[in-house]
Amino acid sequence: MQRHLQGYLYLTLAMITVGSTVIASRVIASGMPPFTATALRFAAAFPFFLLLMGMTGTRLPSLPLRDWIIVFVQAGAGSVGYTTLLISGLKLTTAADAGVIIGTLPVVAGALSVVVLRETPRSSMVLAIVLATTGVLFIALSPDAGSGSLPGNALVFGAVICESLFILLNKNLSTPISALTQSALMTGIGFGVAMVAAVLAEGVPREFSAGAMSAVIYYALVPTVVGFILWYAGAERVSGVEASLFTAVAPVSALLMAFVILGEPLHSNQVAGVGCVLAAVLGLGLFQRRAMAAK
């Protein structure tokens, strides 16, 4: 198989695992508190990242205090904040709706860069924001939306903002950190933060449902660890712009898995919403690809 085709396959599989986090979070939400689930997710994933670091000879970089502060904030927002808000939101909304909202991540991250970092907004970014917003509005303003889904969707969108802040903060690191090292740091620090929050906010639970515990283990090992390996195996075989296009697979896979695995009905507003999000993400990626080719 050609190197590029291998890369496309790995990236597709990686984004399918990302889409499956919505399904896993939906199962977790029905049988486990969010901070406890987040702590258990990181506790299961952290040893595997340490093992990968040992196998590849990766070492922790020497970071200045400012960068360590950024790393801790990233772990709190992008790791703990994202996971707990996603699980909390999925107590109130459907996995299909959440999948559409999660798909807006590349656009939201780009919009925050414009707002916070004062980057000049390109016409492609403005169009992508409009399309992604339209996609979310299809979900939020749907007549099928129940009384609990709007707060649930807002929590899921809060998870997207947390992950976008992680990306934004990454641009402010003065010392480059390898993806593997950063993943190990995020899971290790995230475990500590989530464990403290779980004890303070949720106490020590006496038992978990088997389904929720299985979903946590799946979330930790498949999307978190295997998804990481697949993504970077694919990313090293294609350009960065090409890799970014594959983020569009995540909302589609989440929508289909919600229908097939959870048996959620598929509504026209969800199809229209994911269509707008796909157009936003793919359009933005294709514009960046043309811009890179023109240089």
Side-chain angles (χ1 to χ4, degrees):
M1 186 183 294
Q2 292 181 357
R3 185 176 174 83
H4 258 64
L5 292 179
Q6 284 181 331
Y8 296 158
L9 175 61
Y10 294 150
L11 292 171
T12 300
L13 291 174
M15 285 298 101
I16 289 174
T17 71
V18 171
S20 73
T21 63
V22 176
I23 312 304
S25 296
R26 177 73 167 172
V27 176
I28 293 166
S30 65
M32 191 180 293
F35 283 116
T36 299
T38 302
L40 289 174
R41 172 202 169 192
F42 293 139
F46 185 48
F48 287 91
F49 283 116
L50 291 180
L51 178 62
L52 287 172
M53 287 182 68
M55 291 171 61
T56 57
T58 305
R59 296 289 181 265
L60 284 175
S62 177
L63 300 177
L65 177 61
R66 176 182 175 276
D67 281 2
W68 276 115
I69 293 172
I70 291 174
V71 166
F72 271 85
V73 175
Q74 281 183 301
S79 297
V80 178
Y82 174 85
T83 308
T84 54
L85 284 172
L86 180 60
I87 294 172
S88 299
L90 280 160
K91 287 184 178 180
L92 303 171
T93 193
T94 66
D97 282 5
V100 176
I101 297 168
I102 290 297
T104 65
L105 173 59
V107 180
V108 174
L112 278 180
S113 293
V114 171
V115 173
V116 178
L117 300 182
R118 307 294 184 185
E119 294 181 357
T120 303
R122 302 183 303 271
S123 57
S124 59
M125 175 58 72
V126 174
L127 180 59
I129 292 171
V130 171
L131 282 170
T133 302
T134 302
V136 172
L137 288 176
F138 269 117
I139 302 300
L141 303 181
S142 165
D144 299 314
S147 59
S149 64
L150 281 176
N153 289 339
L155 286 169
V156 174
F157 190 68
V160 172
I161 292 176
C162 282
E163 188 67 11
S164 299
L165 288 173
F166 172 91
I167 296 170
L168 193 68
L169 287 167
N170 218 43
K171 296 180 179 181
N172 285 278
L173 288 169
S174 61
T175 306
I177 304 176
S178 73
L180 177 55
T181 302
Q182 193 165 45
S183 294
L185 287 171
M186 292 303 103
T187 52
I189 297 170
F191 166 68
V193 173
M195 181 58 71
V196 171
V199 171
L200 294 177
E202 300 165 354
V204 180
R206 296 182 179 179
E207 60 181 14
F208 307 119
S209 73
M213 193 66 205
S214 298
V216 168
I217 298 301
Y218 169 84
Y219 197 154
L221 301 185
V222 180
T224 307
V225 178
V226 177
F228 167 86
I229 295 171
L230 285 169
W231 178 261
Y232 285 99
E236 71 177 7
R237 289 168 168 81
V238 302
S239 70
V241 174
E242 283 180 307
S244 69
L245 294 173
F246 283 84
T247 59
V249 174
V252 176
S253 65
L255 199 66
L256 292 176
M257 283 187 276
F259 176 70
V260 174
I261 298 174
L262 299 180
E264 292 184 0
L266 199 59
H267 298 295
S268 58
N269 69 292
Q270 293 164 336
V271 175
V274 81
C276 288
V277 170
L278 284 177
V281 174
L282 291 174
L284 189 60
L286 289 171
F287 179 87
Q288 292 173 336
R289 188 177 183 179
R290 286 198 300 270
M292 289 292 292
K295 289 183 178 180

